[in-house]
C-alpha cells in the first residue's frame, strides 16, 4: 500500500504548459481518475509518474521517496496501456512471467502468482495462447494480470477501455473496480470518459489545460461542480446567468435573472451584486401542467419545443420566457406534447451556484 | 470503376473480352512479370547451367560434347575451394559487421523524434545514388599508401611508414561494408517501425532495463527485418565484382573476380560457368541454413 504525492509538477512542450503546478495527494489503496478532454495533461501526468516523461519542475513521491530521476524499471509500477502492449511473440504465461523474470522470481512462487493472477482475471486455461488468439476483452484482462502479478506499489492505467465496444466497456469498469478493491493497490486511472470515471473512482480529478479544475468524489463533482467548465464536461447542464440579490440563510441565495428570481444552494460566500451562474441538471427539473406551490421551489413557465425518448428517460427541450432552452430529463411515462405550456420546477437544494 | 468511353456502354466492352480472359484476370496481370523473369532470369540461368557441362575450349566459347570435368576440377582442386571459402567468409563477416553497425542506426532512426531525422535518411540513402565505382575511388583517396589517412597519421607522427589499408582484404572489407550498409539498415528500419513503441515501455514498466528490453522484445520482433537485411547483404557481397577489383589485389582473388577472369582472360566459359553455379548453390545453401537457424530462434522465444 503506497501513498502517492505529487507537488508542484510542471511540464512544458515548447511554449505550451502541458502540466502547470499540479498538486495531488493520493491515499493508500485509493483509486483516483484523471479526467479531462484531450490535451488536458492527464496522460502526461501519468507518464511522469511512470517515468516515461521527465517533468520540468516538481516532485513525485512514492511514500516518502522522491522518484523523479529514477528510471521506469526501478519504480516498481504496474502499467496497463491503451493498446494493451502484450508481447506478441510470447504466450499469455510468458507475458505474465516477464515481470517476474525481471525480478528474479521463478519456480514455484512464479507458478503460484501466475495462477492466482490468471484466476483473478478469469482467464484460467488460456495461458498457452498467444495474444493474437484472444479477443479484445481477453487481451485487456491479460494486460491487467500482467501488471498486477508483479505486485507493484502503484497501478497506472492509461485509458485501458478505450478500444473496447460499449457493452464490454461497461462490464469491465465494474470488473476493474472490484479487482482493485480486492487487491487494495493505489491506482491512477486516466480517462476522457466521464461515465467510466464516475463508476470506478474513489475520487475524480478533473483537469483542463494542465491544471486541476476540481477534485472530489463522484457525487460531489456531479452535484457540486466548481465551475461552468466542470459542470459542462460532466453530464448535461442548464446554465442561467444572473446577479446575486441577497442571502436567504447560511447556504441559500436569491439570484436575480432574466427568468425571474431563483433560489439556490451555494458552497461559497457570495456578495450582493456579484455576477454568478446557476447550474440546473436536467433530471432535477420536474414538468407540471400547473404551477406548483411548494416551499423552496423554483418554478419557471415555458413551452415544450421538442420531446424525445432516451429509453429510461423522457427528454424535453423547453423554451423559457427569455428565449433560452432548457434540457429536461423527466420520467419516461410523462407525455407532454410539443407546443404545451408547462411549468419547470426545481428544488432550491438541487440548484447549484457557481462563479460566472 | 472506370468510366466507359462516350457512347459505348460498359456491358458492350465487357462482352468483347472473352470469358476465359475475364475469369483469369489475376493470372493475366502476372503474365508480363513472369515473361520478363523467364526471359531475363530463368533462360540465362539455364543457359549458364547447360554451359557448365560443356567441354571448355580456348579457341571457341565451348567445344562439342558434354562433361562433368568442370565440376570435378572445381570441387577437388583445393585452390578453387579456397577461393570459394574465402568468398563465403567475406560474405559472413561483411554481413556481421553491417548488422553490428546497421542495427543501432536503424533503431535510432525508427525511434527518434529529432528534427534531423530526414537528414539521417538522406545520409543513409544518398550514397546509393552515387555509383559504386565513384565511391570506391573515394575510398582509394582515403586508404591509399599516400592517401589521406596515411598522410595524416604520418604527419601527426603517430606512425613511421604507411599502413597497408588498400589492395588487400581490409580495403575490400571497408568498401563492401560501406556500400552495402543501407541494404541492412532499411529492412531493419521497416521492421522496427512496425513494432508498437508501447511494447518497449511495457517491458520497462515491468522492470526491464533498456538493454533487456532490446534483447527480449525488440530484437526478437525485428528478426524478419534482420533476416531480410542479412540475406541481402550476404548475397550482394558474395557476388560483388567491382569493389574487390578496385580495392583488392590480383594475387588474392574472390570467386566473382575469378569467374570473370576465367570468362574473359582465359576464355574458359564452361569452367567459369561451373564456378558461378557452384557459388550460387553455396550462397543458397548458406541462406537456407541461416533462415532455418533464425526461424528456430524465433519459435523458441515464443
Amino acid at each position: 500500500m503506497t501513498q502517492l504525492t505529487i507537488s508542484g509538477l510542471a511540464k512544458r512542450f515548447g511554449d505550451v504548459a502541458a502540466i502547470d503546478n499540479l498538486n495531488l495527494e493520493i491515499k493508500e489503496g485509493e483509486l483516483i481518475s484523471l479526467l479531462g478532454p484531450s490535451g488536458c495533461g492527464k496522460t502526461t501526468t501519468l507518464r511522469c509518474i511512470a517515468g516515461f516523461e521527465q517533468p520540468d519542475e516538481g516532485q513525485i513521491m512514492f511514500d516518502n521517496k522522491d522518484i523523479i530521476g529514477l528510471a521506469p524499471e526501478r519504480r516498481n509500477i504496474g502499467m496497463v496501456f491503451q493498446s494493451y502492449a502484450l508481447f506478441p511473440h510470447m504466450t499469455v504465461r510468458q507475458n505474465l512471467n516477464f515481470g517476474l523474470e525481471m525480478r528474479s522470481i521463478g519456480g514455484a512462487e512464479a507458478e503460484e502468482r501466475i495462477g492466482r493472477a490468471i484466476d483473478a482475471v478469469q482467464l484460467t486455461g488460456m495461458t498457452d495462447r498467444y495474444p493474437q488468439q484472444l479477443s479484445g476483452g481477453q487481451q485487456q484482462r491479460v494486460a491487467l494480470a500482467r501488471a498486477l502479478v508483479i505486485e507493484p506499489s502503484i497501478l497506472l492505467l492509461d485509458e485501458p477501455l478505450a478500444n473496447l465496444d460499449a457493452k464490454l466497456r461497461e462490464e469491465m469498469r465494474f470488473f476493474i473496480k472490484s479487482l482493485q478493491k480486492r487487491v487494495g493497490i493505489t491506482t491512477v486511472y486516466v480517462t476522457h470518459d466521464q461515465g467510466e470515471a464516475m463508476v470506478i473512482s474513489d475520487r475524480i480529478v478533473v483537469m483542463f489545460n494542465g491544471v486541476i479544475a476540481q477534485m472530489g468524489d463522484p457525487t460531489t463533482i456531479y452535484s457540486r461542480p466548481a465551475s461552468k467548465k466542470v459542470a459542462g464536461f460532466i453530464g448535461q447542464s442548464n446554465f442561467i446567468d444572473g446577479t446575486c440579490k441577497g442571502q436567504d440563510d447560511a447556504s441559500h441565495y436569491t439570484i436575480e435573472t432574466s427568468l425571474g428570481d431563483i433560489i439556490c444552494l451555494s458552497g461559497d460566500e457570495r456578495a450582493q451584486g456579484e455576477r454568478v451562474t446557476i447550474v440546473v441538471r436536467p433530471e432535477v427539473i420536474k414538468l407540471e401542467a400547473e404551477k406548483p406551490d411548494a416551499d423552496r421551489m423554483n418554478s419557471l413557465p415555458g413551452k415544450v419545443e421538442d420531446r424525445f425518448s432516451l429509453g429510461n428517460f423522457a427528454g424535453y427541450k423547453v423554451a423559457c420566457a427569455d428565449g433560452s432552452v432548457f434540457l429536461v430529463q423527466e420520467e419516461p411515462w410523462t407525455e407532454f406534447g410539443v407546443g404545451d405550456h408547462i411549468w419547470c420546477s426545481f428544488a432550491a437544494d438541487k440548484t447549484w451556484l457557481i462563479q460566472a | 470503376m472506370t468510366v466507359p468511353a462516350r457512347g459505348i456502354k460498359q456491358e458492350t466492352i465487357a462482352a468483347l473480352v472473352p470469358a476465359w480472359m475475364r475469369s483469369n484476370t489475376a493470372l493475366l496481370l502476372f503474365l508480363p512479370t513472369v515473361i520478363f523473369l523467364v526471359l531475363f532470369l530463368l533462360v540465362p540461368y539455364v543457359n549458364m547451367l547447360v554451359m557448365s557441362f560443356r567441354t571448355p575450349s580456348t579457341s571457341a566459347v565451348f567445344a562439342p560434347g558434354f562433361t562433368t570435368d568442370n565440376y570435378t576440377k572445381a570441387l577437388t582442386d583445393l585452390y578453387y575451394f579456397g577461393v570459394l571459402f574465402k568468398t563465403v567468409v567475406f560474405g559472413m563477416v561483411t554481413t556481421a559487421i553491417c548488422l553490428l553497425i546497421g542495427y543501432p542506426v536503424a533503431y535510432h532512426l525508427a525511434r527518434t523524434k529529432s528534427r534531423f531525422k530526414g537528414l539521417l535518411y538522406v545520409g543513409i540513402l544518398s550514397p546509393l545514388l552515387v555509383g559504386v565505382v565513384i565511391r570506391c575511388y573515394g575510398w582509394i583517396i582515403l586508404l591509399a599508401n599516400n592517401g589521406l589517412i596515411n598522410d595524416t597519421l604520418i604527419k601527426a607522427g603517430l606512425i613511421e611508414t604507411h599502413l597497408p589499408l588498400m589492395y588487400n582484404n581490409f580495403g575490400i572489407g571497408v568498401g563492401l561494408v560501406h556500400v552495402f550498409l543501407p541494404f541492412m539498415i532499411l529492412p531493419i528500419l521497416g521492421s522496427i517501425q512496425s513494432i508498437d513503441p508501447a511494447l518497449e515501455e511495457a517491458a520497462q514498466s515491468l522492470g526491464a532495463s533498456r538493454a533487456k528490453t532490446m534483447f527480449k522484445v525488440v530484437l526478437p520482433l525485428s528478426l524478419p527485418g534482420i533476416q531480410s537485411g542479412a540475406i541481402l547483404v550476404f548475397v550482394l557481397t558474395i557476388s560483388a565484382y567491382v569493389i574487390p577489383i578496385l580495392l583488392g589485389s590480383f594475387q588474392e582473388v574472390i570467386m566473382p573476380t575469378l569467374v570473370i577472369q576465367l570468362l574473359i582472360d582465359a576464355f574458359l566459359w564452361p569452367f567459369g560457368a561451373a564456378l558461378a553455379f557452384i557459388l550460387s548453390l553455396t550462397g543458397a545453401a548458406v541462406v537456407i541454413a541461416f533462415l532455418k537457424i533464425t526461424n528456430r530462434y524465433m519459435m523458441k522465444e515464443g
Side-chain angles (χ1 to χ4, degrees):
Chain A
M1 298 272 252
T2 308
Q3 189 181 25
L4 174 57
T5 313
I6 302 174
S7 25
L9 200 71
K11 173 87 188 163
R12 275 173 292 277
F13 289 114
D15 290 330
V16 182
I19 311 174
D20 194 1
N21 194 21
L22 199 91
N23 295 287
L24 185 56
E25 246 181 64
I26 305 170
K27 294 189 272 287
E28 300 164 4
E30 198 181 7
L31 193 163
I32 72 121
S33 291
L34 301 179
L35 174 66
S38 310
C40 69
K42 55 191 193 295
T43 304
T44 313
T45 308
L46 192 79
R47 289 173 65 83
C48 285
I49 300 173
F52 297 124
E53 300 279 358
Q54 295 310 314
D56 298 318
E57 288 161 34
Q59 286 181 313
I60 300 178
M61 319 261 263
F62 285 15
D63 285 330
N64 288 318
K65 188 173 171 204
D66 187 4
I67 46 102
I68 301 223
L70 208 58
E73 56 264 23
R74 311 262 288 277
R75 296 193 185 192
N76 198 24
I77 52 170
M79 190 153 174
V80 180
F81 296 82
Q82 187 174 343
S83 64
Y84 319 135
L86 297 179
F87 306 126
H89 59 305
M90 299 186 191
T91 60
V92 168
R93 175 176 294 278
Q94 288 166 327
N95 264 282
L96 293 184
N97 196 42
F98 190 89
L100 298 174
E101 197 185 319
M102 292 301 127
R103 287 161 173 72
S104 306
I105 299 173
E109 190 185 343
E111 282 298 311
E112 207 231 312
R113 283 215 213 178
I114 293 176
R116 260 189 289 139
I118 283 287
D119 289 341
V121 297
Q122 295 164 18
L123 284 173
T124 325
M126 304 254 195
T127 48
D128 290 320
R129 303 239 187 128
Y130 284 89
Q132 303 88 288
Q133 298 169 307
L134 302 173
S135 71
Q138 291 169 327
Q139 289 182 17
Q140 220 278 1
R141 283 181 277 155
V142 174
L144 254 177
R146 185 178 68 174
L148 290 173
V149 78
I150 52 174
E151 292 171 15
S153 330
I154 308 265
L155 182 63
L156 305 171
L157 301 115
D158 188 3
E159 309 211 39
L161 305 182
N163 293 345
L164 299 175
D165 58 64
K167 205 79 190 82
L168 199 52
R169 238 184 290 156
E170 281 181 26
E171 287 171 21
M172 285 302 292
R173 286 176 200 170
F174 293 105
F175 183 82
I176 292 180
K177 181 176 181 170
S178 68
L179 187 57
Q180 188 266 343
K181 285 282 161 270
R182 252 186 299 147
V183 176
I185 184 172
T186 314
T187 306
V188 182
Y189 192 102
V190 163
T191 181
H192 63 270
D193 182 336
Q194 28 130 337
E196 207 163 280
M198 298 280 280
V199 165
I200 215 176
S201 324
D202 294 320
R203 269 194 301 155
I204 302 180
V205 176
V206 183
M207 289 177 72
F208 296 115
N209 299 323
V211 176
I212 296 181
Q214 189 173 1
M215 223 190 320
D217 65 275
T219 317
T220 310
I221 299 263
Y222 186 80
S223 54
R224 310 238 185 290
S227 68
K228 201 165 176 180
K229 220 168 172 185
V230 175
F233 189 76
I234 315 259
Q236 311 267 44
S237 311
N238 296 299
F239 296 113
I240 311 169
D241 293 324
T243 14
C244 186
K245 199 171 179 185
Q247 186 165 7
D248 293 0
D249 60 39
S251 44
H252 291 88
Y253 290 80
T254 305
I255 310 298
E256 190 180 328
T257 74
S258 51
L259 294 165
D261 284 356
I262 298 184
I263 310 169
C264 38
L265 197 62
S266 177
D268 298 320
E269 291 271 319
R270 303 286 169 196
Q272 180 132 30
E274 190 181 329
R275 296 193 56 75
V276 287
T277 301
I278 302 168
V279 184
V280 188
R281 296 286 188 189
E283 64 274 8
V284 155
I285 303 176
K286 297 266 159 288
L287 299 179
E288 318 265 1
E290 305 285 324
K291 178 173 180 173
D293 184 30
D295 200 24
R296 288 282 174 81
M297 278 295 256
N298 298 300
S299 299
L300 303 172
K303 187 167 116 168
V304 176
E305 247 186 27
D306 191 11
R307 184 192 189 280
F308 49 94
S309 169
L310 289 160
N312 53 344
F313 279 111
Y316 290 89
K317 289 233 177 116
V318 179
C320 295
D322 68 346
S324 51
V325 179
F326 272 17
L327 184 65
V328 181
Q329 264 180 8
E330 258 283 17
E331 296 180 333
W333 43 81
T334 58
E335 291 208 2
F336 295 99
V338 176
D340 284 2
H341 289 272
I342 41 81
W343 287 87
C344 299
S345 61
F346 39 99
D349 281 343
K350 297 211 173 96
T351 314
W352 183 246
L353 193 63
I354 54 177
Q355 206 133 3
Chain B
M1 278 307 325
T2 52
V3 177
R6 226 166 11 137
I8 307 176
K9 283 203 228 137
Q10 207 172 4
E11 298 90 72
T12 324
I13 296 177
L16 290 173
V17 177
W20 68 267
M21 274 181 112
R22 250 177 289 145
S23 55
N24 286 309
T25 2
L27 220 59
L28 287 174
L29 288 170
F30 257 129
L31 218 50
T33 316
V34 171
I35 293 175
F36 185 86
L37 283 174
V38 166
L39 225 53
F40 294 104
L41 190 64
L42 208 57
V43 167
Y45 215 80
V46 170
N47 195 4
M48 183 185 80
L49 186 58
V50 169
M51 175 74 73
S52 66
F53 283 107
R54 293 190 187 278
T55 346
S57 154
T58 41
S59 52
V61 183
F62 53 85
F66 289 91
T67 168
T68 56
D69 277 352
N70 298 316
Y71 283 100
T72 324
K73 186 169 170 198
L75 294 169
T76 51
D77 193 330
L78 235 56
Y79 173 69
Y80 300 112
F81 184 78
V83 175
L84 181 67
F85 183 74
K86 181 174 172 184
T87 311
V88 171
V89 168
F90 249 117
M92 291 186 178
V93 171
T94 308
T95 307
I97 297 176
C98 280
L99 186 58
L100 277 163
I101 301 176
Y103 196 94
V105 175
Y107 181 79
H108 176 77
L109 196 53
R111 293 294 185 234
T112 187
K113 297 184 182 68
S114 142
R115 288 171 292 154
F116 302 113
K117 194 168 169 164
L119 235 70
L120 193 52
Y121 259 113
V122 169
I124 294 170
L125 289 176
S126 59
L128 292 173
L129 295 171
V130 179
V132 74
V133 173
I134 298 177
R135 295 169 76 184
C136 286
Y137 274 110
W139 279 113
I140 291 175
I141 295 174
L142 285 173
L143 297 174
N145 288 343
N146 55 349
L148 205 64
I149 294 180
N150 275 315
D151 244 14
T152 325
L153 289 177
I154 289 176
K155 287 217 173 85
L158 291 164
I159 53 171
E160 297 237 321
T161 51
H162 60 257
L163 296 168
L165 299 171
M166 223 184 69
Y167 297 134
N168 55 15
N169 291 341
F170 179 78
I172 301 177
V174 167
L176 289 170
V177 169
H178 173 84
V179 173
F180 296 141
L181 194 57
F183 296 97
M184 177 66 80
I185 293 178
L186 292 174
I188 296 178
L189 175 63
S191 215
I192 296 180
Q193 278 174 328
S194 69
I195 301 175
D196 182 4
L199 286 177
E200 293 171 63
E201 290 184 348
Q204 281 190 280
S205 77
L206 290 165
S209 62
R210 301 237 51 192
K212 283 232 171 87
T213 306
M214 185 61 77
F215 281 104
K216 297 213 133 240
V217 178
V218 186
L219 219 59
L221 289 173
S222 62
L223 205 59
I226 295 176
Q227 283 179 321
S228 298
I231 291 173
L232 221 57
V233 172
F234 179 75
V235 165
L236 284 168
T237 305
I238 61 171
S239 48
Y241 176 67
V242 176
I243 298 170
I245 285 283
L246 290 174
L247 296 173
S249 77
F250 284 113
Q251 280 74 42
E252 294 219 53
V253 288
I254 51 168
M255 202 58 128
T257 323
L258 184 60
V259 170
I260 301 289
Q261 272 182 355
L262 287 166
L263 290 177
I264 300 187
D265 296 343
F267 213 62
L268 290 167
W269 280 63
F271 189 51
L275 283 180
F277 198 69
I278 290 174
L279 181 65
S280 285
L281 278 179
T282 314
V286 173
V287 167
I288 291 173
F290 173 72
L291 281 174
K292 278 214 151 76
I293 296 171
T294 46
N295 279 338
R296 219 177 318 133
Y297 168 68
M298 257 203 298
M299 288 300 113
K300 191 165 66 105
E301 277 297 304

